[in-house]
């Protein structure tokens, strides 16, 4: 089914002129929910086939990074887009607040440990970008990292954050050169929609477990988070490690968009089934003869 929007609309490969305000939180043209579901179902089937080929080839990997404000639908997007993918070839890591061991290492350490092996699709539900978004909004968190040049939150100046962006750019470039394709998704949800979803979590008993008073308290910093995301995307968008700013006020829109983007990226990888050596082909023929002779 033809996608009723251009995927390039959401793609940021050069952040120098990037402004988050230029990107809406919902598609400008309404698309029927049933049509979006059909689009996603078609793309999901393609992703399942392409993931099998990625796993069989065993030379490259795909890393999907999801960032968003609370209640923007990261979990459901991951679930709907990758449902049916062989779990042997896919691993999802959800990053929570760092613990003692993680704080004793550099900020990329725990994320490097979770990068996908060759042949795998790795998903990071939140990522190293928390360190230049959440921590930028709350620089007091840096004290727990015991950095040699940070004695107080005021020490985190512009040069400090640029060093972190530079570290991220260098690390992502290293991953790409090592065979990992990177896709970074920001699910762009408006403040009014977040309020609506928080109220749903309170009103619907089956969603009460998702509710956290801390999430609501963080709404006071909503504008600060938007500024931090804009700065992070501007500093780290690259042709080899693009950002995708996906409207997320309507969840079926964001799911369908992410599904199409992942499918298209896997297709552009030109994955190939392994080519058997002459010896392997001979073994295959021998095995066939033995089986038919039984």
């Amino acid at each position: 089914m033809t996608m009723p929007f251009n995927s390039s609309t959401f793609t940021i490969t050069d952040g120098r002129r990037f402004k988050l305000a230029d990107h809406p939180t919902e598609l400008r043209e309404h698309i029927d929910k049933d049509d979006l579901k059909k689009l996603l179902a078609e793309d999901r089937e393609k992703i399942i086939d392409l993931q099998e080929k990625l796993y069989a080839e065993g030379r490259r990997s795909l890393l999907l990074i999801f960032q968003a404000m609370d209640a923007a639908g990261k979990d459901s997007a991951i679930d709907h887009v990758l449902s049916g993918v062989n779990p042997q070839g896919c691993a999802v890591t959800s990053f929570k607040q760092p613990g003692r061991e993680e704080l004793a290492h550099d900020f990329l350490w725990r994320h490097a440990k979770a990068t996908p092996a060759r042949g795998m699709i790795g998903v990071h539900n939140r990522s190293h970008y928390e360190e230049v978004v959440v921590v930028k909004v709350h620089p007091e968190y840096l004290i727990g990292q015991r950095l040699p040049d940070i004695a107080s939150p005021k020490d985190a100046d512009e040069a400090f954050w640029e060093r972190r962006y530079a570290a991220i750019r260098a690390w992502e470039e290293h991953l790409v050169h090592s065979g990992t394709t990177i896709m970074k998704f920001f699910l762009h949800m408006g403040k009014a929609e977040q309020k609506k979803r928080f109220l749903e979590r309170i009103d619907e008993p089956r969603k009460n477990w998702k509710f956290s008073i801390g999430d609501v308290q963080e709404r006071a910093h909503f504008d600060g988070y938007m500024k931090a995301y804009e700065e992070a995307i501007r500093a780290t968008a690259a042709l080899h490690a693009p950002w995708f700013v996906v409207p997320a006020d309507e969840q079926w829109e964001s799911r369908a968009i992410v599904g199409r983007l992942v499918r298209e990226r896997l297709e552009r990888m030109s994955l190939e089934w392994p080519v058997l050596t002459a010896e392997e082909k001979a073994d295959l023929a021998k095995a066939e003869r033995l089986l038919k002779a039984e």
Side-chain angles (χ1 to χ4, degrees):
M1 182 180 293
T2 302
M3 189 59 97
F5 46 75
N6 190 336
S7 300
S8 64
T9 303
F10 316 108
T11 307
I12 312 298
T13 58
D14 184 346
R16 287 175 293 182
R17 294 185 178 88
F18 174 74
K19 292 183 180 179
L20 192 55
D22 293 339
H23 295 262
T25 57
E26 59 183 334
L27 292 176
R28 292 186 172 93
E29 294 185 12
H30 175 74
I31 302 174
D32 186 77
K33 181 178 177 179
D34 288 338
D35 288 338
L36 291 168
K37 287 184 175 182
K38 290 177 183 177
L39 287 166
L40 178 57
E42 177 186 294
D43 287 335
R44 187 166 51 234
E45 288 303 311
K46 291 289 186 181
I47 290 169
I48 290 170
D49 291 340
L50 288 162
Q51 180 272 330
E52 184 179 4
K53 189 178 287 188
L54 175 72
Y55 187 80
E57 186 190 70
R59 298 178 64 86
R60 291 172 285 177
S61 61
L62 176 64
L63 174 59
L64 309 178
I65 292 170
F66 287 85
Q67 289 289 152
M69 295 296 288
D70 292 308
K74 297 186 305 300
D75 292 350
S76 63
I78 294 166
D79 181 26
H80 282 83
V81 171
L82 296 175
S83 177
V85 170
N86 189 331
Q88 286 186 315
C90 183
V92 179
T93 306
S94 295
F95 290 99
K96 307 300 184 183
Q97 185 175 345
R100 178 181 295 182
E101 182 183 17
E102 293 164 329
L103 288 172
H105 293 81
D106 70 273
F107 78 94
L108 290 171
W109 178 74
R110 64 174 181 162
H111 305 287
K113 287 175 60 180
T115 53
R118 290 181 178 83
M120 298 285 290
I121 294 177
V123 182
H124 288 189
N125 186 343
R126 299 193 184 277
S127 70
H128 49 292
Y129 282 97
E130 296 288 282
E131 292 289 336
V132 290
V133 175
V134 176
V135 179
K136 198 169 190 180
V137 174
H138 293 285
E140 63 273 17
Y141 293 167
L142 288 169
I143 304 305
Q145 296 184 15
R146 302 196 299 262
L147 298 171
D149 55 345
I150 300 292
S152 79
K154 294 180 180 179
D155 293 331
D157 56 11
E158 186 176 342
F160 172 84
W161 296 113
E162 177 50 40
R163 287 196 296 273
R164 285 215 159 176
Y165 294 140
I168 288 171
R169 291 193 297 266
W171 183 59
E172 290 180 349
E173 186 174 10
H174 163 71
L175 289 178
V176 170
H177 287 318
S178 299
T180 299
T181 294
I182 300 174
M183 301 181 73
K184 302 178 291 192
F185 297 97
F186 174 57
L187 303 188
H188 187 22
M189 175 186 63
K191 190 174 182 180
E193 179 62 24
Q194 187 192 52
K195 177 180 178 179
K196 175 185 173 183
R197 294 185 191 179
F198 280 162
L199 288 172
E200 287 176 353
R201 290 181 176 184
I202 295 172
D203 293 339
E204 297 184 29
R206 66 186 182 87
K207 292 185 177 181
N208 286 169
W209 66 274
K210 294 183 177 181
F211 179 74
S212 167
I213 189 63
D215 294 344
V216 176
Q217 292 169 340
E218 283 299 287
R219 278 176 60 79
H221 303 286
F222 195 94
D223 291 343
Y225 277 108
M226 294 300 101
K227 183 174 184 290
Y229 271 118
E230 180 176 274
E231 292 169 346
I233 293 170
R234 187 180 296 157
T236 61
L239 187 62
H240 62 271
W243 275 98
F244 302 92
V245 180
V246 177
D249 277 2
E250 296 292 338
Q251 287 193 303
W252 280 107
E253 288 181 357
S254 56
R255 293 164 185 167
I257 293 167
V258 171
R260 177 52 57 96
L261 289 167
V262 172
R263 170 191 169 175
E264 289 177 347
R265 191 66 191 90
L266 282 165
E267 288 176 336
R268 286 200 301 275
M269 290 173 71
S270 300
L271 300 164
E272 297 181 355
W273 295 107
V275 177
L276 298 182
T277 64
E279 184 179 355
E280 288 170 332
K281 288 180 180 179
D283 286 343
L284 206 63
K286 180 179 179 181
E288 183 181 25
R289 291 194 301 271
L290 290 172
L291 287 168
K292 287 182 177 179
E294 287 183 357

